Amino acid sequence: MDVARHERLIAKGGCRLDLDHYLEALLRKPGAFPGATALEQARSAGKFTPVHDAWWAQARKVHGEHDGTRALIEVLLLNRHLAHEHVVAGLATALRVGALTAEAVALEARKAAQAEDEPPIGASIPALPGQTPATVTSLHEWRLAHLPPDTRPLPSVIPYETGTDSYRLASTRARAEAPAQAS
């Protein structure tokens, strides 16, 4: 049973930092992320790709430095549950259509993983020459499509439509009876 597996370091006294180990701390302090040594090592190892950088730049432009960086860290946390190539595919699709939230990337990464597992049913919409089709499903719409139908009756406003005087009268009676019942 392997507890951990690490790449061997050739240099004496060398240090290899895994970006994943620092994500929770960086989520609390996203200002430390741009200068993190672990980030530089992830870039040099090819785990932090130019697609990551492009999505991060757009997210910072739209959401601001702090929130854009936090969104990227949330995206990097997806690598714990999804394959790296699926997360990168989700980033690329989300960037192409301007969806700059971690939730959109997660949904697109899951779609990429699902597409790899099972081929799509039916014909896909043809793309323009040289372009791949980019579709982003709203997370809200996806959740609504997968929820069971709501069979509860609609709420009624009839008690409130009988007039505000009777409503006040009923609440006044309830308050008057409450101390009498307490004794």
Side-chain angles (χ1 to χ4, degrees):
M1 176 172 99
D2 286 338
V3 175
R5 188 175 295 265
H6 298 281
E7 182 180 324
R8 183 172 180 180
L9 293 174
I10 304 299
K12 186 174 183 179
C15 179
R16 171 102 42 214
L17 302 176
D18 188 0
L19 181 59
D20 186 65
H21 294 175
Y22 301 93
L23 292 177
E24 283 84 9
L26 291 168
L27 196 57
R28 287 192 311 271
K29 302 249 184 205
F33 185 75
T37 304
L39 174 62
E40 291 307 315
Q41 288 184 1
R43 272 195 181 111
S44 65
K47 293 179 181 177
F48 194 86
T49 66
V51 175
H52 286 87
D53 273 321
W55 190 90
W56 184 24
Q58 283 300 109
R60 285 183 300 183
K61 188 185 295 184
V62 171
H63 301 296
E65 192 74 28
H66 185 266
D67 291 335
T69 301
R70 184 180 297 263
L72 176 69
I73 295 168
E74 290 172 0
V75 167
L76 292 173
L77 285 167
L78 293 173
N79 285 314
R80 293 180 179 177
H81 306 286
L82 297 168
H84 177 72
E85 60 271 6
H86 297 147
V87 174
V88 173
L91 277 168
T93 303
L95 179 63
R96 209 169 30 246
V97 295
L100 301 170
T101 63
E103 291 84 9
V105 174
L107 184 62
E108 291 305 315
R110 287 185 190 108
K111 283 170 57 178
Q114 187 178 17
E116 188 176 286
D117 292 341
E118 58 187 50
I121 299 171
S124 62
I125 300 171
L128 296 174
Q131 287 186 342
T132 57
T135 59
V136 173
T137 305
S138 164
L139 185 59
H140 179 71
E141 290 174 10
W142 185 86
R143 284 180 178 157
L144 287 177
H146 291 83
L147 286 175
D150 189 2
T151 58
R152 297 176 294 177
L154 291 174
S156 174
V157 294
I158 292 174
Y160 303 105
E161 290 179 347
T162 58
T164 56
D165 292 334
S166 62
Y167 179 72
R168 277 192 217 136
L169 183 60
S171 64
T172 305
R173 277 191 206 143
R175 274 187 259 132
E177 292 174 3
Q181 291 175 355
S183 307

